[in-house]
Amino acid sequence: MDLVQAAELETQRVMKSIEVDFPAILIDIPEYKSESDGLALALTDSDIAIKVQAKIPAETANSVNSMKRDMAETLEGIVERCISKANSVNNTELASSVDFSFSYFYFVKKEEAVQRAEAVEKQINDNLLTVFTNIKDTEMTALRAKILKYSTSKEVPIKNRQKKKAGGTDALTISLKKGTGHKNMMAKLLIRKYKKLNPEIAERAGLANKVIVLGKRHNVGSYSVINRSTEEAVLTAVITEVRTSVKKKKVKTVVYQLDGNGMRIFNTHILGKAVLTVVAPGFLNETMTVTFKKNDPNEFVIGLTRVLPK
C-alpha cells in the first residue's frame, strides 16, 4: 500500500464518519444508504487486501513490522468484541467510538499507529467495568504490552521487493476504486441536499473530498537508506539532494538528516529529477538519480555498501 492509496483510504473513512454524527442523512436522502453500504463493503474488501499485504513471508519482513501487525490484529479482535457488546446494550455511540479496523492501526506511520492504538485502548479501558465486561484484564494487559513493544522498537525501512509485493496487489486497487466511486457520490448527495439546510454537513462532505485532492496535488514521497548486505536502516546517513530547474537552470542543494527509522518523509516535494549523494561513516558514498512524479508513491530506497576492513 503506497502513500497515495493510504490517503484515499483515509478520506473514505472520513466520509463514513459523517453518518455517525448525523444519522438522519441515511433517511433524508433515499439514495444515500445504498451508496454508504457500498462504501462499507469496499472498506471491508480493502481491509482484507491490506491484511494479505501485511502477511509477507518471514524471510522478507522485518521483526518490527511483525510487531506492528501483531498489535493491529490484537486490537482488531478486541474491538470487534467491544462493538458486539456495546450494540447488545444499545449503546451505538460507544460502539462507533471504537469501530476501527486492522488497516486503521497498521497502514500509517509508526508514531500515528501508536497514538491511534493508545487512544482506542484508553476508550476500552474507560468502559471496561461498565460496558466492555466481556474483555478480561489479562487481555488488556497483553494488548498494552504489544503496543509498548512496538512503540519502543526501532523501525527498519521495507525492502524493495516487499514494497513491490504490497503495491502490486490488484485486490486493493479494485476495492479502493469502488470505494472512491461511492465516496464521491455520497459527497455530491450531501452537498446538494444540505448546502443550505445544514451547511456543516455539506462542508464536511466537501472536506472529505478535498483531502484526496490535496493529497494528489502534493507530491508525497520518501528517502530510505539501508545497508545493502543486511537491509537494516543506516541511521547515520546524510543525503545531499541537488535539483536543477529546467527553465532557469538554477541549482538548488538541500541536505537531509534521517529520522529514527532511517527515512526522510516528504509531505510535499517538487516534481522532477534530483541527484542524491548519500554519505555515512563506515560506508562507501553512493550517488543516485531519482524522479518525483505526480501522484506516484515516490518511495526511493538507497542501498549503501559497508567499507571492508583492510
Side-chain angles (χ1 to χ4, degrees):
M1 185 180 191
D2 59 42
L3 295 171
V4 175
Q5 289 176 322
E8 170 57 30
L9 187 63
E10 196 62 29
T11 63
Q12 293 178 19
R13 290 198 191 103
V14 171
M15 186 61 70
K16 280 292 289 180
S17 71
I18 297 176
E19 65 198 49
V20 175
D21 296 330
F22 301 95
I25 64 180
L26 295 167
I27 301 171
D28 290 348
I29 307 174
E31 304 86 359
Y32 191 85
K33 190 174 187 309
S34 63
E35 296 292 344
S36 177
D37 290 344
L39 178 55
L41 289 173
L43 284 168
T44 299
D45 288 343
S46 292
D47 207 52
I48 292 170
I50 288 168
K51 285 183 185 178
V52 172
Q53 290 183 2
K55 291 183 178 178
I56 298 165
E59 67 268 18
T60 62
N62 63 66
S63 59
V64 179
N65 203 52
S66 298
M67 293 178 204
K68 188 178 188 180
R69 184 176 65 242
D70 191 24
M71 179 190 76
E73 286 180 336
T74 302
L75 266 164
E76 183 185 41
I78 292 175
V79 160
E80 286 173 351
R81 292 163 57 205
C82 287
I83 293 170
S84 176
K85 185 66 175 180
N87 285 332
S88 71
V89 295
N90 296 319
N91 195 336
T92 55
E93 184 177 347
L94 183 57
S96 297
S97 72
V98 296
D99 189 2
F100 298 105
S101 61
F102 174 89
S103 59
Y104 178 78
F105 304 108
Y106 185 81
F107 259 105
V108 286
K109 296 174 186 176
K110 181 179 179 181
E111 183 179 353
E112 189 172 355
V114 172
Q115 288 175 351
R116 290 182 175 188
E118 289 178 338
V120 174
E121 178 207 18
K122 183 180 185 303
Q123 181 74 335
I124 296 171
N125 269 322
D126 289 347
N127 295 276
L128 204 60
L129 299 177
T130 55
V131 180
F132 302 139
T133 53
N134 56 326
I135 308 299
K136 298 177 181 178
D137 289 337
T138 53
E139 293 178 279
M140 295 306 294
T141 300
L143 172 60
R144 162 84 332 234
K146 290 178 181 181
I147 295 174
L148 183 62
K149 185 177 181 181
Y150 172 61
S151 67
T152 56
S153 63
K154 188 175 290 186
E155 203 152 33
V156 179
I158 302 171
K159 296 182 178 184
N160 275 335
R161 56 177 168 166
Q162 186 174 340
K163 283 184 177 177
K164 289 176 182 176
K165 180 182 179 71
T169 303
D170 290 336
L172 180 59
T173 303
I174 293 169
S175 61
L176 281 175
K177 186 176 180 180
K178 287 180 180 178
T180 301
H182 291 298
K183 179 198 72 174
N184 291 342
M185 181 55 68
M186 289 160 71
K188 290 178 182 178
L189 290 169
L190 291 178
I191 292 169
R192 188 180 298 118
K193 174 75 175 180
Y194 295 107
K195 192 171 184 180
K196 293 182 179 179
L197 290 176
N198 193 330
E200 183 182 353
I201 296 176
E203 183 181 2
R204 280 189 55 178
L207 285 173
N209 264 2
K210 283 181 182 178
V211 171
I212 190 61
V213 171
L214 288 173
K216 287 187 175 181
R217 188 177 298 150
H218 287 73
N219 311 302
V220 297
S222 66
Y223 295 150
S224 301
V225 182
I226 63 172
N227 182 328
R228 273 203 179 95
S229 300
T230 64
E231 298 196 354
E232 294 180 347
V234 180
L235 304 180
T236 56
V238 175
I239 302 174
T240 301
E241 177 192 81
V242 179
R243 288 184 286 105
T244 305
S245 63
V246 177
K247 291 183 179 180
K248 297 183 179 181
K249 301 299 180 183
K250 287 187 176 180
V251 178
K252 185 174 181 179
T253 302
V254 184
V255 178
Y256 297 115
Q257 301 289 335
L258 304 180
D259 61 20
N261 300 320
M263 301 180 72
R264 173 71 190 199
I265 297 174
F266 302 99
N267 292 321
T268 179
H269 193 285
I270 295 174
L271 294 175
K273 289 184 179 180
V275 178
L276 310 179
T277 301
V278 187
V279 178
F283 291 87
L284 297 175
N285 296 351
E286 185 73 26
T287 300
M288 176 180 179
T289 300
V290 300
T291 303
F292 278 82
K293 298 179 181 179
K294 187 176 181 179
N295 300 337
D296 272 14
N298 297 313
E299 296 172 342
F300 305 106
V301 179
I302 305 102
L304 297 184
T305 302
R306 185 171 285 283
V307 177
L308 297 175
K310 295 181 180 179

